[in-house]
């Protein structure tokens, strides 16, 4: 393991994810816990990048069991076991999943458009919006494609409600969001979360806190490029 540098290190972290991805919620909470452990020697600025798990999902969404059964062939029992495992992993890092799970899977493109705008306003507000959208979907079983849910989350994140509504009523930032989605898929990102540090170190999956902590220390100590996968 490379040694920590004696001076503080500031990292740029691109967190490629979808607001309808449970492992992204786990991974973000784990990463934030790891960043607290390595502070103040290592600090980071997070940027949330778009990835759609279901870009063809219609506006009305789809029943979650039906969707996962079609996608993976999983039974209700298998889905319940997976849901409970993820719920426990989330609880271990302070993220609360609804015990009943998410009733439907929705299109998330408008959420990503709002997140793109939020980043232009302030990375801190973008991070707040990302966490509020994850909570709205996974904790409160709300619809992340509903404009009212999106505007409310934007307002709670400190963003302007009228501006958020204006964006949602238009196609503003659609082209920029699509372009950024393509950039990451063209770079080989086909599953999320994908955490890219300083544009060269990739950590894949909702890793435990200790894995993120070790990686952050290695990168801060100028370790060579590395890949950590689930």
């Amino acid at each position: 393991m490379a040694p920590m540098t004696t001076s503080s290190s500031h990292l740029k972290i691109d967190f490629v994810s979808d607001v309808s991805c449970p492992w992204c919620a786990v991974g973000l909470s784990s990463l934030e816990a790891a960043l607290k452990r390595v502070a103040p020697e290592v600090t980071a600025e997070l940027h949330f990048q778009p990835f759609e798990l279901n870009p063809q999902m219609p506006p009305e969404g789809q029943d979650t069991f039906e969707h996962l059964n079609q996608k993976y062939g999983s039974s209700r029992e298998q889905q319940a076991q997976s849901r409970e495992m993820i719920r426990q992993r989330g609880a271990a890092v302070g993220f609360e999943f609804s015990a009943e799970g998410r009733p439907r899977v929705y299109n998330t493109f408008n959420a990503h458009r709002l997140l793109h705008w939020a980043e232009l306003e302030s990375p801190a507000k973008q991070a707040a919006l990302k966490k509020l959208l994850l909570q709205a979907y996974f904790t409160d079983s709300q619809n992340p494609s509903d404009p009212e849910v999106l505007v409310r989350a934007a307002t709670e994140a400190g963003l302007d409600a009228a501006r958020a509504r204006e964006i949602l009523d238009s196609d503003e930032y659609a082209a920029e969001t699509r372009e950024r989605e393509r950039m990451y898929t063209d770079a080989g990102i086909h599953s999320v979360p994908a955490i890219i540090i300083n544009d060269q170190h990739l950590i894949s999956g909702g890793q435990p806190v200790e894995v993120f902590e070790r990686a952050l220390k290695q990168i801060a100590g100028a370790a060579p490029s590395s890949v950590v996968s689930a």
Side-chain angles (χ1 to χ4, degrees):
M1 179 182 296
M4 286 283 290
T5 52
T6 53
S7 59
S8 62
S9 296
H10 186 71
L11 305 175
K12 170 178 175 271
I13 301 179
D14 290 296
F15 194 94
V16 187
S17 60
D18 198 353
V19 298
S20 64
C21 160
W23 285 111
C24 296
V26 172
L28 178 56
S29 296
S30 292
L31 175 61
E32 289 190 322
L35 284 167
K36 286 179 182 177
R37 289 187 184 183
V38 299
E41 290 79 16
V42 181
T43 58
E45 183 170 274
L46 271 66
H47 297 268
F48 293 91
Q49 307 295 355
F51 186 99
E52 290 179 84
L53 289 172
N54 304 291
Q56 308 307 319
M57 185 63 64
E60 69 274 13
Q62 184 182 19
D63 174 79
T64 299
F65 166 71
E66 180 183 282
H67 173 75
L68 294 175
N69 177 261
Q70 287 177 1
K71 196 169 187 177
Y72 304 112
S74 53
S75 66
R76 289 191 185 277
E77 184 181 359
Q78 288 170 328
Q79 288 185 28
Q81 290 172 347
S82 176
R83 187 165 61 244
E84 178 58 19
M85 178 186 67
I86 293 171
R87 190 193 68 76
Q88 290 179 13
R89 282 288 303 276
V93 289
F95 187 90
E96 181 186 351
F97 285 94
S98 165
E100 296 77 31
R102 46 194 174 138
R104 295 184 73 78
V105 178
Y106 295 98
N107 188 290
T108 57
F109 185 66
N110 283 339
H112 287 300
R113 286 201 297 130
L114 267 198
L115 285 162
H116 184 95
W117 161 62
E119 182 186 27
L120 299 175
E121 295 291 310
S122 155
K125 289 180 180 178
Q126 188 199 33
L129 177 58
K130 179 73 171 188
K131 289 191 279 189
L132 285 163
L133 290 174
L134 288 168
Q135 290 166 7
Y137 185 47
F138 289 111
T139 307
D140 302 327
S141 300
Q142 295 177 355
N143 175 357
S145 69
D146 182 342
E148 295 308 316
V149 171
L150 292 170
V151 171
R152 186 163 60 248
T155 306
E156 287 182 37
L159 294 155
D160 183 73
R163 181 73 179 108
R165 208 175 285 280
E166 181 183 326
I167 291 166
L168 293 170
D169 287 342
S170 70
D171 64 353
E172 201 168 352
Y173 302 120
E176 293 89 338
T177 301
R178 295 283 187 218
E179 181 182 358
R180 200 167 285 190
E181 286 179 331
R182 282 193 299 270
M183 182 180 82
Y184 285 101
T185 54
D186 288 350
I189 303 299
H190 299 296
S191 63
V192 288
I195 299 93
I196 304 165
I197 305 177
N198 288 348
D199 298 319
Q200 57 180 335
H201 305 268
L202 172 66
I203 306 172
S204 297
Q207 299 289 343
V209 178
E210 294 74 19
V211 172
F212 281 122
E213 181 183 8
R214 187 164 62 248
L216 291 168
K217 288 179 177 179
Q218 288 176 338
I219 293 163
S225 298
S226 58
V227 174
V228 180
S229 58

